[in-house]
Amino acid sequence: MIRLASFTIRGFTVKLLLDSKVYRPSYTTKLIAESLPDLSGLYVLDLGTGSGILSIIASMLGARKIIATDISRRALKNASENLKYNNIDNVELRLGDLYEPVYGESFDVIISNPPMTPSPTPLPSYTWGGVDGRRILDAVIKNSVNYLKSNGRLIIPTISIVGIEKTSSLLRDLGFKVKVLGYGYHSFGRILLKLKEHIDRLPSAEYFYDVYGRPCWRLVVYEASVR
Ligand SMILES: C[S@@+](CC[C@H](N)C(=O)[O-])C[C@H]1O[C@@H](n2cnc3c(N)ncnc32)[C@H](O)[C@@H]1O
């Protein structure tokens, strides 16, 4: 089923056709979008574009050209519709796993919001991050060094149920200079509430209870710069 939505981010209005089989822009998506730096004239990779929203915002923030990839054909179809809907003409869509569609290229900025839901059993690929939630996240981070220009930057979120400290340590171990661009928190949704016992067993997972007694995850958006 297709629904329409409109988001105002950084003073820009983005209109989206939402496909129920494609990741719907979330709290994390919006915090990344709010945190993006000026991208004037830059060559950008949006890895795992979903609806295309971060590519649309990157274009509005001045990026010269954006390559938007996804492992899902359906997501790319939805992104293509949304690019047209917002009159964006400097985004190229490519199908494939992780960095495979951009093999041999290098970017000024890589933006990614990887699936991070930790689950012992598979979930839809737009949300499943493997048993500990880090399967795609770690692969995006570890391989980013091969796809960034010498002064390039990786913009990547992490939620506390997959280990915020783990991400900052990994980025530093890879030689990145790390800065926090955005911070927030959100209560567990229906799927995470069902997974709570599993999450409680994960050594790096961490969450807190708000004043209403709801479990909440924290979220950090990192900017990792090549030194
Ligand atoms: C959490 S969604 C984020 C979508 C969008 N960037 C946003 O922030 O709203 C993750 C996206 O990554 C895609 N994805 C999952 N595994 C992938 C992989 N191995 N390679 C490329 N894309 C992948 C999913 O299909 C999904 O569209």
Side-chain angles (χ1 to χ4, degrees):
M1 194 177 75
I2 302 280
R3 287 173 43 205
L4 291 173
S6 168
F7 299 85
T8 301
I9 300 173
R10 308 277 292 270
F12 299 113
T13 299
V14 179
K15 301 169 291 173
L16 290 183
L17 299 162
L18 299 176
D19 179 333
S20 59
K21 296 268 168 46
V22 175
Y23 186 81
R24 188 193 170 124
S26 62
Y27 177 75
T28 304
T29 310
K30 287 175 211 153
L31 189 67
I32 297 170
E34 296 287 355
S35 307
L36 289 177
D38 177 28
L39 297 170
S40 295
L42 299 181
Y43 188 41
V44 174
L45 170 64
D46 172 18
L47 197 160
T49 194
S51 64
I53 183 169
L54 293 176
S55 288
I56 293 168
I57 295 281
S59 177
M60 290 171 169
L61 289 170
R64 174 173 53 83
K65 167 111 197 205
I66 301 137
I67 306 296
T69 68
D70 209 289
I71 201 164
S72 154
R73 227 174 256 283
R74 179 122 177 193
L76 290 183
K77 181 172 173 286
N78 183 224
S80 166
E81 291 161 346
N82 285 325
L83 293 170
K84 283 195 202 107
Y85 197 30
N86 289 275
N87 298 314
I88 302 291
D89 62 4
N90 62 339
V91 178
E92 185 183 321
L93 298 168
R94 296 188 195 169
L95 180 71
D97 185 17
L98 293 166
Y99 292 93
E100 186 187 75
V102 293
Y103 182 76
E105 292 185 57
S106 48
F107 296 86
D108 297 301
V109 176
I110 298 174
I111 304 165
S112 187
N113 177 16
M116 286 185 276
T117 305
S119 168
T121 50
L123 298 171
S125 65
Y126 57 74
T127 193
W128 192 39
V131 175
D132 67 356
R134 299 196 63 96
R135 192 168 58 88
I136 313 286
L137 174 67
D138 284 348
V140 170
I141 292 174
K142 286 178 187 160
N143 290 304
S144 65
V145 279
N146 301 317
Y147 294 88
L148 282 169
K149 292 186 181 170
S150 54
N151 56 351
R153 289 171 282 169
L154 168 68
I155 296 175
I156 190 97
T158 296
I159 54 176
S160 60
I161 53 176
V162 310
I164 286 177
E165 196 49 46
K166 245 186 155 166
T167 295
S168 57
S169 306
L170 174 60
L171 289 168
R172 288 196 183 93
D173 289 350
L174 289 166
F176 285 110
K177 194 171 132 209
V178 181
K179 181 168 134 187
V180 171
L181 292 184
Y183 172 82
Y185 65 90
H186 199 279
S187 55
F188 279 32
R190 189 175 44 84
I191 295 174
L192 286 187
L193 286 172
K194 275 196 194 149
L195 288 164
K196 197 168 157 300
E197 276 181 31
H198 170 66
I199 292 168
D200 285 339
R201 286 192 291 271
L202 296 173
S204 303
E206 178 258 305
Y207 58 88
F208 67 94
Y209 289 90
D210 69 7
V211 288
Y212 306 106
R214 299 176 302 186
C216 296
W217 42 268
R218 292 184 298 116
L219 164 66
V220 172
V221 178
Y222 287 112
E223 178 184 76
S225 312
V226 176
R227 283 177 200 265

